[in-house]
Amino acid sequence: MGPTTTSHGATLFGLTGADIGTILAAMAMLAVFVAIYAASTVRDPMAKRVKALNERREQLKAGIAASTSKRRAKLVHQNDTTDRMRDLMKNLKVLQDDQLKAAQIMLAQAGIRSKDTAVTVIFARMVLPIVLGGGAALAIYGFGAMADYSPFTRFFAFAGALLGGYKAPDIYLQNKITKRAALIRKGVPDALDLLVICAEAGLTVDAAFSRVSRELGTAYPELGEEFHLTSIELSFLNERRHAFENLAARVKLEELKGVITTMIQTEKYGTPLASALRVLSAEFRHARMMRAEEKAARLPAIMTVPLILFILPTLFVVILGPAACSISKAF
């Protein structure tokens, strides 16, 4: 429907120019209010994590699993499905303790704290190959999908679906572990510098970890969360070495494992902590600079393909275009 003319002037879908201007102005004001609200209600990403860790610390000290009946009911509801999965796999005798521990370690490295999720991961490894492989077999051999392809290609598609269903949970977790380790790696040198300052200021190890977690929580929330959890474990575990070993197990990062080894040795032999951490911090900064230089050295080789495909043809057109036009006019 196009614009029509009435006694009040031109209209569009029954709305005059004044009505359309009013609607647009109202939408603009609404967008401004939403932007102001979003800017004024920015929350600290570490506040919720720190609160949950403090609640867990109090629960461990009191020896209880939940503080309220509502939270207890929520936990029971969450564990109901997991218990059914566990019972089913135990009846089928496919749930092994070492497999469960390995899945729990992977979940901890991915930042997932719930140990019951390990049962879900193992159950997904068992169910997804059946679902995806069975669906692919039914589609390929039952309904005639991919009929134009050779038998080898169809079997390869079926095997790929079967293997993909088995490896999908591990690939997902490994992806999360890699991304989380990369985020933590960026903050390790800064965390070591802050630990050196705290150690030279006379703070204890658990107080130093707690202080560093608060300072780095905004810039590196994953590292701040791990340090705060370590500070909590340092305060109630019998041996500090166990807290450091738990930190090394939760983070799949060789640099952090070197820091943990150094801190365990300083606790055992009484060597100065600040000097050892200062040396490690310098090494990590040098390694980070070397990684940046390595990426910069790879740029010429990476830029070769875009240069050949996109830049050189355009350059040839610009350079040879006038000459080609002149030649065509001469002939």
Side-chain angles (χ1 to χ4, degrees):
M1 181 183 295
T4 59
T5 304
T6 61
S7 59
H8 298 286
T11 61
L12 181 64
F13 299 105
L15 299 175
T16 63
D19 295 336
I20 295 175
T22 303
I23 294 173
L24 293 177
M27 293 175 63
M29 290 300 298
L30 180 61
V32 171
F33 287 140
V34 170
I36 294 174
Y37 175 77
S40 60
T41 56
V42 176
R43 297 181 179 180
D44 186 5
M46 279 294 295
K48 187 176 181 180
R49 294 191 177 109
V50 171
K51 182 180 179 181
L53 291 173
N54 288 330
E55 290 178 356
R56 181 59 178 166
R57 179 182 181 181
E58 296 299 329
Q59 291 170 7
L60 291 173
K61 285 184 176 180
I64 59 176
S67 58
T68 60
S69 59
K70 182 177 179 180
R71 182 176 177 85
R72 187 178 297 110
K74 182 179 179 181
L75 290 174
V76 171
H77 178 70
Q78 288 179 347
N79 292 333
D80 189 14
T81 305
T82 305
D83 291 338
R84 292 179 182 177
M85 294 179 184
R86 183 183 288 107
D87 294 337
L88 177 61
M89 288 188 290
K90 284 184 177 179
N91 293 330
L92 297 176
K93 296 182 179 181
V94 296
L95 185 62
Q96 301 176 359
D97 293 337
D98 54 349
Q99 188 180 16
L100 188 63
K101 291 180 180 178
Q104 290 175 354
I105 293 174
M106 290 186 64
L107 289 171
Q109 292 174 351
I112 302 174
R113 304 298 179 193
S114 177
K115 293 185 178 180
D116 292 333
T117 313
V119 180
T120 307
V121 172
I122 299 174
F123 186 77
R125 291 175 185 170
M126 182 183 68
V127 173
L128 285 179
I130 299 175
V131 174
L132 295 181
L138 184 63
I140 294 172
Y141 299 105
F143 295 100
M146 301 178 66
D148 298 334
Y149 295 89
S150 63
F152 179 76
T153 305
R154 288 183 290 172
F155 176 77
F156 186 77
F158 164 71
L162 191 66
L163 183 61
Y166 178 76
K167 287 295 184 180
D170 293 336
I171 293 173
Y172 174 75
L173 288 178
Q174 194 63 41
N175 188 25
K176 289 183 67 67
I177 291 171
T178 303
K179 291 182 178 179
R180 191 166 184 268
L183 294 174
I184 292 176
R185 183 185 289 111
K186 295 179 181 179
V188 170
D190 297 334
L192 291 181
D193 290 338
L194 290 177
L195 283 176
V196 169
I197 295 173
C198 293
E200 291 178 346
L203 294 179
T204 59
V205 178
D206 52 347
F209 271 84
S210 179
R211 181 69 179 181
V212 172
S213 67
R214 290 198 303 269
E215 295 294 334
L216 294 180
T218 304
Y220 309 103
E222 293 81 10
L223 183 60
E225 180 182 358
E226 292 295 340
F227 272 38
H228 191 80
L229 185 58
T230 303
S231 68
I232 293 174
E233 291 180 348
L234 286 169
S235 62
F236 68 83
L237 288 180
N238 294 329
E239 296 185 12
R240 295 176 180 268
R241 179 174 58 85
H242 293 163
F244 294 139
E245 291 175 352
N246 292 337
L247 177 59
R250 289 194 305 268
V251 181
K252 190 177 180 180
L253 192 63
E254 294 298 330
E255 290 88 345
L256 196 59
K257 289 182 180 179
V259 176
I260 298 306
T261 303
T262 302
M263 300 196 73
I264 291 175
Q265 291 177 354
T266 56
E267 286 282 337
K268 184 177 181 180
Y269 300 108
T271 56
L273 178 62
S275 59
L277 291 179
R278 187 179 291 107
V279 173
L280 286 175
S281 177
E283 291 180 358
F284 292 158
R285 290 187 183 278
H286 180 69
R288 186 167 64 179
M289 183 63 66
M290 292 295 292
R291 286 194 299 269
E293 292 178 355
E294 181 183 356
K295 290 182 179 180
R298 291 203 308 262
L299 282 178
I302 296 174
M303 289 297 295
T304 301
V305 176
L307 181 65
I308 295 174
L309 293 179
F310 302 106
I311 299 178
L312 289 182
T314 306
L315 186 62
F316 289 154
V317 170
V318 172
I319 295 175
L320 301 179
C325 294
S326 299
I327 294 172
S328 62
K329 288 180 180 180
F331 288 98

